[in-house]
Amino acid sequence: MKGTSIQQKLMRVILITCAITLLLTSSAYFGYQYFNLKQTYLKQVANTGKIIAFNSTAALAFDNANDAEEILSSLKVDEHIVGAALYNQDGKLFAKYPENISVTDLPVKPQGDGYGVQNSNFEGFQPVMEGNKQLGTLYIRTDRKAIHELFAFYTLASIVILIFSLVVAYFISRILQQSISKPILALAEVSKSISVDKDYSVRAIRYTNDETGALTDAFNQMLSQIEHQNRDIISFNQQLEEKISERTEELERANKELEAFSYSVSHDLRSPLRALNAYSQMFEEDYAELLDAKAMKLLGNIQRNAKRMGRLIDDLLEFSKLGRKELVKTNIGMNQLVTEVMKEVSDGKQNTSVITVEDLPDCLADRGLIYQVWVNLISNAIKYSSKKENPVIHIGSKINDNQVVYFIKDNGAGFNMDYAKMLFKVFQRLHSPKEFEGTGIGLAIIARIIAKHGGNVWAEGEVDKGATFFFTISNSR
Amino acid sequence: MMMKQLDILLVEDNESDAELVMHALKKNKINNNIIHVLDGAEALDYVFAKGNYAANTDRVHTLKVILLDIKMPKVGGLEVLSKLKADNRTKTIPIVMLTSSSEDQDVEKSYMLGANSYIVKPVDYGDFTDAIEQLEKYWLLRNRTIIT
């Protein structure tokens, strides 16, 4: 019953009600009819008895058994009369019907007058009277086949009527149940199509003014509310997307401008610089004998500054290139990387630092960029500790908040913690080029690389006691 | 003017750079003949003997190397490179990109178009002279070209 449709349920209810009503009606009819027929039949038997009794007076009066039997034999017109007998005045059997009926089948002597049901037969005794004198008694018995036949017919008729009625009821209920099921089905259909198509602009049709009508109204109201909210969300989304694409465009434009800028920097700023450098050198070579020491020193200043400017441009370009570079992450064996870097950094240079390296955990990062980080960190450490008598550099790692922190510690010049934040900004230096050479970009490059990896970089230091630089690389892949 | 074997075509719009290159080339004292043109259009005219160079029909195949700047007015170095490498008459001439640009995209494009070498002009004069001297020794003395 749970899986059937509301239409089928309604039809069932109607048909079952109809069938029960019909059965009850026909049962009542049967009962009434049975009672009625019985009375009618008893009356009929009594009438037959009266006629036979009246006809039998002569035979009994003259004691003529043959006549009596003949009169009784006229009962054969009614096939349902299965037995009859005449008793004389003394109560002795005088004649019987039919001829072959056994005496034991008949009552031994007449009993009280009247008709009734005995052994599922109708039977009765009728006094045979002449005037006021009773000459004998007639016994008559009929079977109930007539009633049974009638009832069989009735039953058959009832079944036919029941079936016919149910068929008619089925068709009528099919039409009538629609008034209830149609609005509900329409509602169900609409809600189904909404859940499939996600189209909230459709509306259910209102068929009736009853509870289903109210339900439809509420449903439609809900739909328009959803539609309204959806429209708001969509328009809000569109606005957001427009804003995002606007911003993206702006960013892209800015990025392109920046690229164009760095491109022309790399081309156009270098040439004059090269010319400056070259001509001053050629000047020095060709006119050296004409220049005194002071002029030579000034010329040297020009050359040194031109060189420095060239390095600044190169570093700045390297820094701006980082912004555009896509990360290619691989698993990096940190110890091997640091060893390679140390080899490169100390290659061909005087290096008195004692460098110790702990066992370092591997990490997932862009190898080229992390290489650059270590180059800058290690060469910084060597540079800033180079003026110490016993420069010592230690490279290690620790775990902080479930994150690997790599660090490099030196005992060099150090710095004032007040300026710790400035260290990682472009062109920010805490020492003059005379003290320690450099352009002020190395740490900015490190900060940018680490930021690209989603990590952190920071420094601790104390003037003349040394500095420690820490960095993490994000765990996410 | 005597007909002499031409070795180097220098394509460079910047007069100072051109002068520095030629100055450096002379340092090796290798006997060579240099032609300097100021932009890509002139370079193409020269190589294919068109325009002002229409009379120089016999010079094309004698080039031992072309030194080509990238950023130039009119026709840029990459366009000159692609035209020379696409032409059967000139595609075997070694071309060395000699430029200020160290942009990855320029390096990549140059090699894709068939450049034979890519050299970034150093800012430092000493480095610059070294680079040009090495280049000259390699491409004029060491390297073998098709000479018809």
Side-chain angles (χ1 to χ4, degrees):
Chain A
M1 210 57 174
K2 269 185 183 169
T4 51
S5 76
I6 197 158
Q7 266 180 313
Q8 282 171 315
K9 281 178 195 164
L10 275 172
M11 301 265 294
R12 270 186 209 176
V13 167
I14 292 171
L15 288 180
I16 289 168
T17 312
C18 198
I20 289 169
T21 313
L22 276 170
L23 280 173
L24 281 174
T25 313
S26 42
S27 312
Y29 178 73
F30 269 90
Y32 170 73
Q33 206 54 319
Y34 181 76
F35 176 75
N36 229 7
L37 272 173
K38 206 171 106 185
Q39 295 304 316
T40 314
Y41 219 75
L42 282 174
K43 214 180 253 176
Q44 205 182 320
V45 173
N47 283 341
T48 310
K50 271 178 195 159
I51 293 166
I52 297 294
F54 181 75
N55 287 341
S56 311
T57 43
L60 272 171
F62 296 104
D63 199 18
N64 189 340
N66 279 344
D67 275 1
E69 296 232 328
E70 208 166 313
I71 289 163
L72 285 182
S73 73
S74 70
L75 285 171
K76 68 177 169 228
V77 292
D78 188 341
E79 55 180 322
H80 296 302
I81 297 174
V82 292
L86 271 172
Y87 300 89
N88 62 15
Q89 235 168 342
D90 304 329
K92 279 207 174 131
L93 188 65
F94 180 68
K96 58 187 171 86
Y97 168 84
E99 276 175 55
N100 55 356
I101 194 168
S102 154
V103 180
T104 52
D105 255 356
L106 294 165
V108 182
K109 55 178 184 175
Q111 285 147 28
D113 296 346
Y115 294 87
V117 180
Q118 194 81 44
N119 298 331
S120 83
N121 290 321
F122 293 124
E123 59 177 29
F125 295 90
Q126 174 79 45
V128 181
M129 306 289 284
E130 188 178 34
N132 283 330
K133 188 182 170 205
Q134 184 169 356
L135 297 177
T137 306
L138 172 72
Y139 167 77
I140 191 162
R141 180 204 292 167
T142 67
D143 62 18
R144 293 205 295 177
K145 271 186 191 154
I147 290 181
H148 289 157
E149 275 167 16
L150 216 53
F151 265 83
F153 171 73
Y154 281 159
T155 309
L156 193 68
S158 297
I159 289 168
V160 169
I161 288 168
L162 190 67
I163 290 168
F164 179 73
S165 304
L166 284 177
V167 169
V168 171
Y170 172 77
F171 284 108
I172 291 172
S173 68
R174 237 168 83 140
I175 295 161
L176 292 183
Q177 56 83 20
Q178 280 183 5
S179 69
I180 297 169
S181 66
K182 196 180 171 188
I184 296 173
L185 288 179
L187 207 57
E189 194 57 40
V190 170
S191 60
K192 204 160 111 187
S193 82
I194 287 168
S195 70
V196 172
D197 303 335
K198 309 278 178 244
D199 177 8
Y200 293 97
S201 65
V202 293
R203 292 286 177 273
I205 298 163
R206 189 185 203 278
Y207 288 99
T208 54
N209 284 325
D210 57 6
E211 291 86 337
T212 13
L215 187 65
T216 311
D217 282 349
F219 183 68
N220 283 342
Q221 217 170 342
M222 219 160 68
L223 279 182
S224 50
Q225 217 163 347
I226 292 172
E227 201 187 0
H228 203 78
Q229 285 169 351
N230 267 2
R231 213 177 298 141
D232 284 353
I233 291 170
I234 287 169
S235 81
F236 188 63
N237 259 358
Q238 260 170 356
Q239 280 173 8
L240 267 184
E241 259 165 43
E242 271 167 34
K243 249 182 209 165
I244 289 170
S245 69
E246 237 171 71
R247 293 276 189 285
T248 314
E249 247 172 61
E250 274 172 32
L251 271 176
E252 273 169 6
R253 209 166 34 238
N255 229 7
K256 277 221 177 93
E257 274 169 24
L258 200 71
E259 261 176 59
F261 171 75
S262 67
Y263 190 81
S264 59
V265 163
S266 80
H267 273 94
D268 300 343
L269 288 191
R270 279 176 199 226
S271 292
L273 213 53
R274 185 162 46 245
L276 187 68
N277 190 298
Y279 288 126
S280 66
Q281 210 155 324
M282 281 154 81
F283 183 72
E284 192 190 325
E285 282 170 17
D286 295 352
Y287 300 97
E289 62 272 26
L290 297 179
L291 298 172
D292 61 13
K294 198 184 172 193
M296 287 295 274
K297 197 186 163 217
L298 291 175
L299 208 52
N301 283 348
I302 293 176
Q303 284 167 15
R304 207 172 46 251
N305 277 297
K307 257 189 216 172
R308 182 167 156 73
M309 176 93 175
R311 220 170 25 244
L312 277 172
I313 291 171
D314 286 349
D315 285 355
L316 200 56
L317 278 175
E318 188 60 39
F319 183 69
S320 85
K321 260 190 208 169
L322 272 178
R324 306 191 296 263
K325 216 178 161 214
E326 295 270 335
L327 295 184
V328 182
K329 289 190 179 183
T330 52
N331 208 34
I332 303 173
M334 227 22 154
N335 276 97
Q336 196 200 337
L337 188 76
V338 168
T339 310
E340 277 174 42
V341 171
M342 284 184 356
K343 212 166 148 193
E344 189 202 298
V345 169
S346 62
D347 192 27
K349 281 174 202 150
Q350 281 248 314
N351 176 19
T352 52
S353 308
V354 178
I355 305 181
T356 49
V357 185
E358 281 177 21
D359 246 357
L360 301 171
D362 294 353
C363 73
L364 187 78
D366 188 304
R367 197 175 201 278
L369 293 182
I370 300 301
Y371 186 90
Q372 187 64 48
V373 167
W374 281 118
V375 167
N376 292 6
L377 284 177
I378 293 173
S379 46
N380 269 359
I382 292 173
K383 181 164 71 187
Y384 289 106
S385 62
S386 59
K387 294 191 176 162
K388 291 280 166 182
E389 265 180 42
N390 299 306
V392 175
I393 296 167
H394 180 72
I395 294 170
S397 69
K398 57 179 183 176
I399 303 286
N400 242 16
D401 293 336
N402 284 329
Q403 240 188 345
V404 177
V405 181
Y406 299 97
F407 65 86
I408 175 164
K409 184 178 168 63
D410 66 62
N411 62 346
F415 60 89
N416 185 333
M417 275 303 274
D418 291 348
Y419 307 121
K421 281 258 156 67
M422 279 167 59
L423 284 174
F424 297 98
K425 298 210 166 110
V426 180
F427 291 149
Q428 292 286 354
R429 299 205 66 212
L430 300 181
H431 304 275
S432 70
K434 230 176 184 173
E435 268 184 290
F436 295 104
E437 242 188 64
T439 56
I441 292 207
L443 285 176
I445 286 177
I446 291 175
R448 204 157 187 182
I449 291 172
I450 296 302
K452 264 184 108 81
H453 280 85
N456 276 316
V457 59
W458 66 97
E460 286 168 7
E462 202 180 324
V463 176
D464 279 335
K465 294 266 171 72
T468 311
F469 287 84
F470 304 87
F471 71 90
T472 61
I473 293 164
S474 169
N475 289 326
S476 61
R477 272 151 199 259
Chain B
M1 192 177 154
M2 249 177 72
M3 286 287 282
K4 198 176 165 190
Q5 188 189 342
L6 182 75
D7 294 313
I8 301 171
L9 175 64
L10 173 65
V11 189
E12 172 64 78
D13 64 313
N14 187 307
E15 297 274 10
S16 300
D17 274 359
E19 197 188 332
L20 294 179
V21 171
M22 296 203 274
H23 191 263
L25 284 173
K26 279 175 192 137
K27 281 202 164 182
N28 270 337
K29 305 203 185 326
I30 298 169
N31 186 24
N32 57 41
N33 195 356
I34 309 162
I35 266 283
H36 169 220
V37 293
L38 280 166
D39 60 63
E42 204 185 342
L44 289 172
D45 276 354
Y46 184 86
V47 175
F48 292 117
K50 282 188 290 195
N52 290 336
Y53 301 95
N56 303 343
T57 47
D58 56 336
R59 297 213 160 161
V60 174
H61 307 292
T62 66
L63 280 174
K64 276 196 158 177
V65 67
I66 295 173
L67 305 179
L68 189 55
D69 191 15
I70 287 187
K71 206 172 166 237
M72 290 184 294
K74 293 191 216 166
V75 182
L78 291 175
E79 196 181 334
V80 173
L81 173 67
S82 77
K83 284 199 168 139
L84 293 181
K85 287 298 181 186
D87 194 296
N88 275 333
R89 292 170 292 172
T90 52
K91 70 178 174 192
T92 56
I93 304 172
I95 295 179
V96 176
M97 306 309 287
L98 187 62
T99 174
S100 292
S101 168
S102 58
E103 292 283 309
D104 294 342
Q105 57 188 47
D106 282 343
V107 181
E108 193 184 321
K109 266 188 211 156
S110 297
Y111 281 116
M112 294 296 268
L113 289 170
N116 301 76
S117 180
Y118 192 103
I119 288 163
V120 179
K121 291 180 237 174
V123 170
D124 181 80
Y125 181 63
D127 295 344
F128 182 83
T129 320
D130 281 353
I132 300 298
E133 282 175 18
Q134 280 173 19
L135 187 153
E136 189 184 25
K137 276 184 192 155
Y138 179 80
W139 288 104
L140 294 187
L141 301 181
R142 188 70 64 195
N143 191 49
R144 240 208 87 181
T145 50
I146 305 165
I147 308 283
T148 49

Short mmCIF file of all heavy atoms in Angstrom, two decimals, chain A residues 227-248:
data_model
loop_
_atom_site.label_atom_id
_atom_site.label_comp_id
_atom_site.label_asym_id
_atom_site.label_seq_id
_atom_site.Cartn_x
_atom_site.Cartn_y
_atom_site.Cartn_z
N GLU A 227 12.69 31.56 -5.95
CA GLU A 227 13.09 32.18 -7.21
C GLU A 227 13.69 33.57 -6.95
O GLU A 227 14.72 33.94 -7.51
CB GLU A 227 11.85 32.31 -8.10
CG GLU A 227 12.21 32.46 -9.57
CD GLU A 227 10.97 32.76 -10.41
OE1 GLU A 227 9.87 32.85 -9.83
OE2 GLU A 227 11.13 32.93 -11.61
N HIS A 228 13.04 34.27 -6.09
CA HIS A 228 13.48 35.62 -5.75
C HIS A 228 14.89 35.59 -5.15
O HIS A 228 15.79 36.33 -5.56
CB HIS A 228 12.50 36.20 -4.73
CG HIS A 228 12.49 37.69 -4.71
ND1 HIS A 228 11.85 38.44 -5.67
CD2 HIS A 228 13.07 38.57 -3.87
CE1 HIS A 228 12.02 39.72 -5.39
NE2 HIS A 228 12.76 39.83 -4.30
N GLN A 229 15.05 34.69 -4.18
CA GLN A 229 16.35 34.60 -3.51
C GLN A 229 17.43 34.16 -4.48
O GLN A 229 18.54 34.68 -4.46
CB GLN A 229 16.26 33.61 -2.34
CG GLN A 229 15.52 34.21 -1.17
CD GLN A 229 15.19 33.18 -0.11
OE1 GLN A 229 15.36 31.98 -0.31
NE2 GLN A 229 14.67 33.64 1.00
N ASN A 230 17.05 33.22 -5.37
CA ASN A 230 18.01 32.74 -6.36
C ASN A 230 18.47 33.89 -7.24
O ASN A 230 19.65 34.02 -7.55
CB ASN A 230 17.36 31.68 -7.25
CG ASN A 230 17.61 30.30 -6.71
OD1 ASN A 230 18.24 30.16 -5.67
ND2 ASN A 230 17.12 29.29 -7.39
N ARG A 231 17.48 34.71 -7.66
CA ARG A 231 17.81 35.83 -8.52
C ARG A 231 18.80 36.75 -7.81
O ARG A 231 19.78 37.21 -8.39
CB ARG A 231 16.53 36.57 -8.89
CG ARG A 231 16.60 37.15 -10.31
CD ARG A 231 15.30 37.81 -10.69
NE ARG A 231 14.19 36.89 -10.70
CZ ARG A 231 12.96 37.18 -10.28
NH1 ARG A 231 12.70 38.38 -9.77
NH2 ARG A 231 12.00 36.27 -10.34
N ASP A 232 18.53 36.98 -6.53
CA ASP A 232 19.43 37.83 -5.76
C ASP A 232 20.83 37.25 -5.72
O ASP A 232 21.82 37.95 -5.95
CB ASP A 232 18.91 37.98 -4.31
CG ASP A 232 17.74 38.94 -4.25
OD1 ASP A 232 17.46 39.57 -5.31
OD2 ASP A 232 17.12 39.06 -3.19
N ILE A 233 20.89 35.95 -5.44
CA ILE A 233 22.20 35.29 -5.32
C ILE A 233 22.93 35.37 -6.65
O ILE A 233 24.11 35.71 -6.70
CB ILE A 233 22.02 33.81 -4.89
CG1 ILE A 233 21.52 33.75 -3.46
CG2 ILE A 233 23.33 33.06 -5.04
CD1 ILE A 233 21.10 32.37 -3.03
N ILE A 234 22.19 35.10 -7.74
CA ILE A 234 22.84 35.09 -9.05
C ILE A 234 23.36 36.49 -9.40
O ILE A 234 24.49 36.64 -9.84
CB ILE A 234 21.86 34.59 -10.13
CG1 ILE A 234 21.66 33.08 -9.97
CG2 ILE A 234 22.39 34.89 -11.54
CD1 ILE A 234 20.54 32.53 -10.80
N SER A 235 22.51 37.49 -9.14
CA SER A 235 22.96 38.84 -9.52
C SER A 235 24.14 39.26 -8.64
O SER A 235 25.08 39.91 -9.10
CB SER A 235 21.81 39.84 -9.41
OG SER A 235 21.63 40.24 -8.08
N PHE A 236 24.09 38.83 -7.38
CA PHE A 236 25.21 39.14 -6.48
C PHE A 236 26.48 38.46 -6.98
O PHE A 236 27.55 39.07 -7.03
CB PHE A 236 24.86 38.66 -5.08
CG PHE A 236 25.85 39.08 -4.04
CD1 PHE A 236 26.06 40.42 -3.76
CD2 PHE A 236 26.57 38.13 -3.33
CE1 PHE A 236 26.98 40.79 -2.81
CE2 PHE A 236 27.49 38.50 -2.39
CZ PHE A 236 27.69 39.84 -2.11
N ASN A 237 26.32 37.21 -7.37
CA ASN A 237 27.45 36.45 -7.90
C ASN A 237 28.02 37.12 -9.14
O ASN A 237 29.24 37.20 -9.30
CB ASN A 237 26.98 35.04 -8.29
CG ASN A 237 27.37 34.04 -7.24
OD1 ASN A 237 28.02 34.41 -6.25
ND2 ASN A 237 26.99 32.81 -7.42
N GLN A 238 27.08 37.56 -10.02
CA GLN A 238 27.54 38.20 -11.24
C GLN A 238 28.34 39.46 -10.93
O GLN A 238 29.40 39.69 -11.51
CB GLN A 238 26.34 38.57 -12.11
CG GLN A 238 26.12 37.54 -13.22
CD GLN A 238 24.80 37.77 -13.91
OE1 GLN A 238 24.04 38.63 -13.51
NE2 GLN A 238 24.54 37.00 -14.95
N GLN A 239 27.80 40.21 -9.99
CA GLN A 239 28.51 41.43 -9.61
C GLN A 239 29.92 41.09 -9.11
O GLN A 239 30.90 41.74 -9.48
CB GLN A 239 27.76 42.16 -8.50
CG GLN A 239 26.59 42.97 -9.02
CD GLN A 239 25.76 43.55 -7.89
OE1 GLN A 239 26.16 43.47 -6.73
NE2 GLN A 239 24.63 44.11 -8.23
N LEU A 240 29.95 40.05 -8.27
CA LEU A 240 31.24 39.63 -7.73
C LEU A 240 32.19 39.22 -8.84
O LEU A 240 33.35 39.64 -8.87
CB LEU A 240 31.05 38.44 -6.78
CG LEU A 240 30.88 38.77 -5.31
CD1 LEU A 240 30.79 37.50 -4.51
CD2 LEU A 240 32.04 39.63 -4.82
N GLU A 241 31.65 38.42 -9.77
CA GLU A 241 32.50 37.95 -10.86
C GLU A 241 33.00 39.11 -11.71
O GLU A 241 34.16 39.14 -12.10
CB GLU A 241 31.71 36.96 -11.73
CG GLU A 241 32.07 35.52 -11.41
CD GLU A 241 31.06 34.56 -12.00
OE1 GLU A 241 30.66 34.75 -13.15
OE2 GLU A 241 30.65 33.63 -11.26
N GLU A 242 32.07 40.04 -11.97
CA GLU A 242 32.49 41.22 -12.74
C GLU A 242 33.61 41.94 -12.02
O GLU A 242 34.60 42.34 -12.63
CB GLU A 242 31.31 42.18 -12.92
CG GLU A 242 30.50 41.87 -14.18
CD GLU A 242 29.18 42.60 -14.18
OE1 GLU A 242 29.13 43.73 -13.67
OE2 GLU A 242 28.20 42.03 -14.68
N LYS A 243 33.41 42.08 -10.72
CA LYS A 243 34.44 42.78 -9.94
C LYS A 243 35.76 42.04 -10.01
O LYS A 243 36.82 42.64 -10.20
CB LYS A 243 33.99 42.88 -8.47
CG LYS A 243 33.67 44.31 -8.09
CD LYS A 243 33.28 44.42 -6.64
CE LYS A 243 32.32 45.58 -6.45
NZ LYS A 243 31.64 45.54 -5.16
N ILE A 244 35.65 40.70 -9.86
CA ILE A 244 36.88 39.91 -9.87
C ILE A 244 37.58 40.03 -11.22
O ILE A 244 38.78 40.25 -11.29
CB ILE A 244 36.57 38.42 -9.56
CG1 ILE A 244 36.18 38.27 -8.10
CG2 ILE A 244 37.77 37.54 -9.88
CD1 ILE A 244 35.65 36.92 -7.75
N SER A 245 36.78 39.92 -12.31
CA SER A 245 37.43 39.97 -13.62
C SER A 245 38.00 41.36 -13.87
O SER A 245 39.04 41.51 -14.51
CB SER A 245 36.47 39.54 -14.74
OG SER A 245 35.48 40.51 -14.90
N GLU A 246 37.29 42.40 -13.34
CA GLU A 246 37.82 43.75 -13.46
C GLU A 246 39.18 43.84 -12.77
O GLU A 246 40.16 44.32 -13.34
CB GLU A 246 36.87 44.73 -12.77
CG GLU A 246 36.34 45.83 -13.66
CD GLU A 246 35.26 46.59 -12.93
OE1 GLU A 246 35.61 47.31 -11.98
OE2 GLU A 246 34.06 46.44 -13.28
N ARG A 247 39.18 43.34 -11.53
CA ARG A 247 40.41 43.38 -10.74
C ARG A 247 41.51 42.57 -11.42
O ARG A 247 42.67 42.99 -11.46
CB ARG A 247 40.17 42.82 -9.33
CG ARG A 247 39.27 43.66 -8.49
CD ARG A 247 40.04 44.80 -7.80
NE ARG A 247 39.22 45.46 -6.84
CZ ARG A 247 38.24 46.31 -7.15
NH1 ARG A 247 37.99 46.59 -8.42
NH2 ARG A 247 37.49 46.87 -6.22
N THR A 248 41.11 41.39 -11.92
CA THR A 248 42.09 40.54 -12.59
C THR A 248 42.70 41.27 -13.78
O THR A 248 43.90 41.24 -13.99
CB THR A 248 41.43 39.23 -13.07
OG1 THR A 248 40.65 38.73 -12.02
CG2 THR A 248 42.46 38.21 -13.48
#
